[in-house]
Amino acid sequence: MCGIVGILGTGPVAGQIVDALKRLEYRGYDSAGIATLEAGRLTRRRAEGKLRNLETRLAAAPLEGAIGIGHTRWATHGKPSEANAHPHASEKLAVVHNGIIENFKALREELSAKGHKLETETDSEVAAFLVTDELAAGKSPIEAVAAALPRMRGAYALAYLFDGEDNLLIGARRGAPLAVGYGQGEMYLGSDALALAPFTDLIAYLEEGDWVVLTREGAVFHDATGKVVTRRKIRSPAGGLLIEKGNYRHFMAKEIHEQPEVVGHTLAHYIDMSEQRVRPFAWPVDPAKLSRITICACGTAYMAGLIGKYWIERFARLPVEIDVASEYRYREAPVDASGVTIVISQSGETADTLASLRYAKENGSKIVGIVNVPTSSISRLSDSLAPTLAGPEIGVASTKAFTCQLAVMAAIAISLGQARGTLDEASAAALVAELVAIPGLIAQALKLEPAVEAIAHSLAKARDVLYLGRGTAYPLALEGALKLKELSYIHAEGYAAGELKHGPIALIDEAMPVIVIAPRDPVFEKTVSNMQEVAARGGRIILIGDKSAAEEAAVGLAHFLAMPEMGHEFAPIVYAATVQMIAYHTAVIMGKDADQPRNLAKSVTVE
Ligand code: F6R
């Protein structure tokens, strides 16, 4: 997590650095800071909390330097405070860091024993003093960084600024992304191309282990061995304008409402709309020869994988193993060396997902990446890329990326079924017809917003909330609970409705709202039975189902959200929008920051 930026400019750069940090705030917002050279001397401004606090500080005490680095933090080691805010500095240099330096304790002890005064609780500060120590031994800044980098274990993207060096920045990457941007007499470093988009679209990415020396004249890349290497410049598609909220109060609201459009856009990539056929997907392995598929992802992307598992197993008759990436990467799972691993990620930079990808790849598996950011590490490492065309997602809680991930999973599951001969033409055509109707159905579901808002008023008073579902509505129940937790901080749990009587039913009382997600699918009646069990124990049921569901449920409902009628296979893509609105409105009513919930960051680049 954390966003880093560095600029070698032709005029004062503090304003540009703040602009870039605004675009990186999705990576963390616990504190922010900038260092520049004022008349050749290192000067810092830092502030706890969101970027606007740093802006206030800069307005009171501006910085004029034409070279600088900046940081927006998601705290890992050390509480979010000004003292722990980056840039970290010695008398000789300042540094910003994204990642975790795992051996920082040993390094800190070693550096302290040598007389260096480390003042923060962070792991990152050793990155400053390791290089300072090498400088003290007489090395040049470039030699000092080259000597210090191999001593740090863990993950880092770093940008160094040196006292008295007004034409030098040094960047380094291992396990966390870093891009170089080329401007007109200016050079840039940034965690991603989006951060640099206002200044340039000409980008080169550091590869794993690379470090780079930047002057206003250009960039010299070195690989992990120190050898000078060439890294290809590309035109980045990231838009130059800062994405705006338009008429919406939050990015999250805007992104929820963009779903009919972006899901439609994504589907059009996979489906030939004139023929109403799924385009064959470029599987990196002959689909007929596959014996199973493995899926890895984190958080909401994992929920998309869970739903995808139902579709692949049903349409392509292929067993799917799925795991959260933080477990998969360490549990030494046997990898099918002739198989395929699907990794799903909005950002394409999630550390655990990336590590799982690498584990699977090293063990012979081919990788299909379902990714929203086409320039990300996961996109670049995938053998076959299955893009989601959600556009930039700024709200920290994933919404439109999730439904686009589902759209992709649905399309490639159909294509897999056809390629394996487990779906005949007619069945595939029926599924495609259902799928292409989804964007219109999401638009209809969004019209429920006033009803959702009314329900959110009652949810805002709850201490705990249960979500229940069966079939593909079960992972959606998990997703609903995750969304409510992360946005409103109300404790919520998702359960397979049939699992309720094996324990969680003990939680039910008159105070417990139970949100039942019950699309009209083959298990609808089973879900209704489970709902009756809840009703018999006085639970407050909020039913999300089609128009006649409330009648058929034949139980007293606290609330009912009447969804449009639709085929059942892809209902979770539509029901997702309702579940997202519930969490969003509950959070807003409770006065929480729906775009930047506490303790979270959009791109989780640490494990
Ligand atoms: C929850 C949410 C997270 C992400 C997770 C994975 O609303 O957004 O759970 O889904 O951090 O992120 P990506 O998809 O970028 O790998």
Side-chain angles (χ1 to χ4, degrees):
M1 346 265 271
C2 305
I4 70 174
V5 60
I7 301 184
L8 269 156
T10 46
V13 292
Q16 283 174 296
I17 292 177
V18 168
D19 271 1
L21 291 179
K22 278 188 185 151
R23 295 165 160 267
L24 290 173
E25 215 180 3
Y26 72 89
R27 302 175 76 94
Y29 33 81
D30 288 333
S31 65
I34 289 189
T36 55
L37 293 187
E38 304 292 307
R41 298 276 80 88
L42 275 175
T43 313
R44 284 188 290 171
R45 301 275 184 273
R46 297 178 297 162
E48 187 182 332
K50 296 192 175 158
L51 193 53
R52 56 178 173 266
N53 300 348
L54 178 67
E55 287 186 276
T56 309
R57 197 146 293 186
L58 282 166
L63 290 173
E64 305 293 344
I67 179 170
I69 53 177
H71 189 266
T72 177
R73 180 171 187 238
W74 185 81
T76 59
H77 295 57
K79 60 181 175 296
S81 64
E82 185 172 334
N84 287 331
H86 301 223
H88 296 296
S90 66
E91 281 180 5
K92 303 276 180 211
L93 59 86
V95 67
V96 286
H97 169 226
N98 163 31
I100 293 179
I101 298 168
E102 286 166 0
N103 57 337
F104 80 99
K105 275 204 184 108
L107 292 173
R108 172 192 287 270
E109 276 162 26
E110 176 193 321
L111 290 162
S112 300
K114 284 182 164 175
H116 294 289
K117 299 252 171 310
L118 280 77
E119 287 166 352
T120 77
E121 301 161 331
T122 68
D123 56 326
S124 310
E125 199 180 10
V126 298
F129 281 93
L130 269 178
V131 175
T132 304
D133 193 57
E134 300 290 351
L135 290 172
K139 294 197 171 83
S140 70
I142 296 174
E143 290 164 347
V145 172
L149 291 177
R151 303 221 42 218
M152 290 182 263
R153 271 206 329 265
Y156 55 71
L158 295 161
Y160 285 96
L161 169 70
F162 298 88
D163 192 69
E165 298 278 354
D166 87 339
N167 193 19
L168 177 68
L169 288 177
I170 302 181
R173 127 164 222 175
R174 191 195 299 152
L178 192 61
V180 168
Y182 295 79
Q184 303 286 336
E186 302 199 331
M187 290 293 290
Y188 313 95
L189 277 174
S191 293
D192 62 26
L194 188 67
L196 305 183
F199 321 125
T200 181
D201 65 350
L202 193 57
I203 302 288
Y205 286 95
L206 275 77
E207 288 181 12
E208 194 56 7
D210 279 0
W211 54 282
V212 64
V213 177
L214 246 64
T215 60
R216 288 184 183 81
E217 290 69 50
V220 179
F221 291 84
H222 301 255
D223 68 11
T225 66
K227 198 171 91 197
V228 173
V229 285
T230 308
R231 297 294 174 226
R232 202 162 56 90
K233 289 182 203 167
I234 53 163
R235 291 278 167 199
S236 155
L241 293 172
L242 186 55
I243 313 346
E244 301 287 352
K245 281 185 253 191
N247 291 330
Y248 292 94
R249 199 165 150 196
H250 294 98
F251 281 109
M252 185 178 175
K254 175 171 173 259
E255 288 159 5
I256 288 173
H257 282 269
E258 279 171 0
Q259 292 180 108
E261 192 185 331
V262 294
V263 169
H265 196 39
T266 301
L267 285 175
H269 185 83
Y270 295 89
I271 296 174
D272 180 335
M273 293 293 176
S274 56
E275 300 275 324
Q276 294 272 299
R277 288 171 66 94
V278 168
R279 297 191 176 98
F281 180 69
W283 292 95
V285 170
D286 179 356
K289 299 211 172 104
L290 285 173
S291 56
R292 72 171 163 156
I293 280 186
T294 303
I295 302 181
C296 285
C298 300
T300 290
Y302 169 72
M303 310 305 182
L306 278 175
I307 294 174
K309 170 185 163 81
Y310 282 77
W311 290 331
I312 293 176
E313 292 189 340
R314 212 179 283 156
F315 306 158
R317 310 307 309 152
L318 201 54
V320 175
E321 180 207 14
I322 170 157
D323 206 350
V324 286
S326 53
E327 287 301 313
Y328 184 76
R329 65 180 289 189
Y330 289 121
R331 76 177 160 84
E332 297 174 31
V335 176
D336 177 359
S338 58
V340 163
T341 302
I342 300 180
V343 294
I344 311 173
S345 176
Q346 187 287 126
S347 61
E349 300 295 351
T350 300
D352 286 322
T353 311
L354 195 51
S356 295
L357 179 159
R358 291 202 169 105
Y359 174 79
K361 208 167 182 157
E362 276 157 24
N363 286 283
S365 176
K366 295 285 185 211
I367 308 295
V368 172
I370 300 182
V371 192
N372 198 40
V373 180
T375 49
S376 63
S377 304
I378 294 180
S379 295
R380 284 180 280 132
L381 288 169
S382 296
D383 298 295
S384 291
L385 184 61
T388 50
L389 304 179
E393 193 180 60
I394 308 296
V396 163
S398 188
T399 53
K400 61 175 181 168
F402 174 63
T403 43
C404 287
Q405 285 159 357
L406 291 178
V408 173
M409 289 274 7
I412 66 175
I414 297 172
S415 128
L416 192 57
Q418 289 196 283
R420 289 171 55 79
T422 50
L423 266 187
D424 58 31
E425 281 286 315
S427 314
L431 288 171
V432 169
E434 261 189 52
L435 199 48
V436 297
I438 293 296
L441 290 162
I442 301 176
Q444 286 184 47
L446 291 174
K447 295 198 178 119
L448 290 174
E449 191 150 26
V452 168
E453 218 178 323
I455 294 171
H457 277 280
S458 73
L459 284 178
K461 297 182 201 110
R463 205 191 57 180
D464 310 278
V465 176
L466 268 186
Y467 285 74
L468 300 180
R470 273 180 183 260
T472 50
Y474 160 48
L476 192 59
L478 298 176
E479 170 61 6
L482 172 61
K483 280 280 147 325
L484 190 71
K485 272 189 275 225
E486 67 178 326
L487 290 164
S488 70
Y489 321 146
I490 293 173
H491 171 242
E493 296 291 339
Y495 273 101
E499 189 64 12
L500 193 68
K501 53 183 141 331
H502 300 289
I505 200 161
L507 293 169
I508 307 288
D509 61 17
E510 292 73 21
M512 172 75 90
V514 182
I515 299 179
V516 181
I517 307 170
R520 178 135 332 240
D521 58 15
V523 287
F524 172 75
E525 280 164 14
K526 311 272 174 209
T527 309
V528 166
S529 302
N530 299 132
M531 194 161 62
Q532 272 149 351
E533 292 155 11
V534 172
R537 285 151 185 91
R540 274 205 293 144
I541 299 169
I542 299 163
L543 175 61
I544 313 176
D546 69 14
K547 284 197 185 77
S548 50
E551 212 174 293
E552 286 179 45
V555 291
L557 298 174
H559 300 280
F560 173 52
L561 288 168
M563 298 290 289
E565 273 161 39
M566 66 188 88
H568 70 269
E569 285 294 0
F570 306 116
I573 316 182
V574 181
Y575 279 57
T578 308
V579 156
Q580 294 161 354
M581 288 192 292
I582 290 176
Y584 170 74
H585 283 291
T586 307
V588 171
I589 289 163
M590 293 174 76
K592 310 292 187 221
D593 184 340
D595 278 342
Q596 295 183 330
R598 73 181 178 203
N599 304 340
L600 292 175
K602 181 97 188 128
S603 184
V604 185
T605 55
V606 294
E607 61 175 295

